[in-house]
Amino acid sequence: MRISSLFVGIAFGILLIKSEVASWFRIEQMFLFQEAHMYLIIGSAVAVGAASVALIKRLGLHTVDGEQPVLKVKPFHKGTIIGGVLFGLGWAITGACPGPIFAQIGSGQMLALVTLAGALVGAYLYALLKSHLPH
Amino acid sequence: MDWLLHPWPWYVAGPLIGLTVPALLLLSGRTFGISSSFRHICSIVFPGRSSIPYLRDNDWRKESWNLLFVVGILIGAFVTARFLSAEAIVLLPASLATTTGMIKLFLGGLLVGFGTRYADGCTSGHTITGLSNLQWPSLVATLSFFVGGLASTAITHYQSF
């Protein structure tokens, strides 16, 4: 059901604010190794995510629409590293990865609209340059 | 219920964030990831979208769940800031509310948009979902995110000494 993604999104938005993952200050403290908060959040999220995925596979669970759940697989290419490093630079500067950009705007931090504008122009630049970039 | 109004500890928020993966997978049949929303928005609004393969060959209508998810984030964050917070939420430093700061945010955002599309995913698609599914390319991506983030933070702090 398509509409369910709206509700999961709402829950995720609440979590991004309540966990302070959308806070520039938390991101800076993570990259300075001043506190474990972000590492514990990411670590426990991955642990629960991995256990859930393993359980879904083991039990052969289906989606509510009765379909076979399929997790998209992203193949490795040069952009995984180059693009990854570029994103990391931006993450530290803006204090936001893509989800938190939207969470910051939703929470009333209108400055993040500038970050979003940059991100959309960045994605557009990638679309324009894609055929010239190493993949 | 007072705890609800304050930031939640990692052992509550982290596992709940991890549950986003199975929730989306079982309820919507979709793979959790956010940065593809940038591509969809570009496919909808940007000029030249019909001649640029990356935007033209993107069936955003089929992937509209992703845009709904992003709208959900906006609503969830709004509700949290407005009704579920004891104190005002400050997510960005005041130093960024200047012309220089806004240039930084724009250029940083540019790197976020360009980088996540080039890498095929961000912290949600690679770090949370990819690692949960034991994909090694997502581990490489995650390490790359941290190489960039650590370098950027180190440079900024070295300058300010």
Side-chain angles (χ1 to χ4, degrees), chain B residues 79-98:
Chain B
V79 168
T80 308
R82 191 87 169 69
F83 304 108
L84 287 177
S85 302
E87 52 281 301
I89 305 263
V90 180
L91 299 175
L92 289 169
S95 62
L96 286 175
T98 56

Side-chain angles (χ1 to χ4, degrees), chain A residues 1-28 30-34 37 39-42 44-54 56-57 61-65 67 69-109 111-112 114-130 133-135, chain B residues 3-32 34-35 37-39 41-42 46-48 52 54-55 61-66 68-81 84-85 89-94 96-97 102 104-106 108-129 131-138 140-141 144-153 157:
Chain A
M1 278 183 297
R2 188 165 292 186
I3 194 68
S4 54
S5 52
L6 177 72
F7 297 109
V8 182
I10 292 175
F12 193 68
I14 295 172
L15 286 169
L16 285 178
I17 301 294
K18 280 296 165 190
S19 63
E20 299 189 305
V21 165
S23 158
W24 185 95
F25 306 96
R26 289 287 195 186
I27 304 303
E28 186 186 46
M30 166 178 74
F31 284 133
L32 290 173
F33 297 110
Q34 283 176 347
H37 181 81
Y39 294 101
L40 292 166
I41 293 253
I42 295 172
S44 57
V46 171
V48 168
S52 312
V53 170
I56 288 171
K57 286 181 179 171
L61 294 183
H62 286 71
T63 69
V64 289
D65 297 319
E67 286 160 18
V70 181
L71 276 173
K72 260 194 223 163
V73 170
K74 304 176 178 200
F76 176 81
H77 59 89
K78 294 191 182 87
T80 312
I81 295 175
I82 308 170
V85 171
L86 293 175
F87 160 50
L89 291 167
W91 186 13
I93 294 169
T94 62
C97 42
I101 294 178
F102 294 105
Q104 289 178 353
I105 294 169
S107 79
Q109 196 89 61
L111 255 186
V114 179
T115 315
L116 179 63
L120 293 177
V121 172
Y124 186 55
L125 280 178
Y126 173 72
L128 289 172
L129 299 174
K130 187 171 185 259
L133 298 168
H135 277 88
Chain B
W3 61 271
L4 207 65
L5 302 179
H6 297 286
W8 297 350
W10 67 267
Y11 51 83
V12 173
L16 288 174
I17 288 174
L19 285 180
T20 311
V21 177
L24 262 182
L25 194 59
L26 295 178
L27 295 175
S28 315
R30 299 299 182 173
T31 308
F32 177 44
I34 296 170
S35 67
S37 62
F38 298 150
R39 182 185 186 184
I41 297 172
C42 285
F46 276 3
I52 302 166
Y54 187 71
L55 302 181
R61 284 182 186 83
K62 200 178 147 222
E63 298 296 323
S64 58
W65 71 273
N66 193 274
L68 273 177
F69 188 85
V70 160
V71 171
I73 295 180
L74 290 170
I75 298 172
F78 174 80
V79 168
T80 308
L84 287 177
S85 302
I89 305 263
V90 180
L91 299 175
L92 289 169
L96 286 175
M102 282 163 77
K104 270 190 199 172
L105 282 179
F106 184 82
L110 201 98
L111 289 167
V112 171
F114 186 89
T116 53
R117 289 298 74 220
Y118 195 5
D120 264 335
C122 59
T123 3
S124 55
H126 272 309
T127 307
I128 310 256
T129 310
L131 292 186
S132 290
N133 197 23
L134 312 178
Q135 296 295 309
W136 70 265
S138 291
V140 175
S144 305
F145 302 163
F146 277 88
V147 167
L150 290 169
S152 169
T153 309
H157 276 259

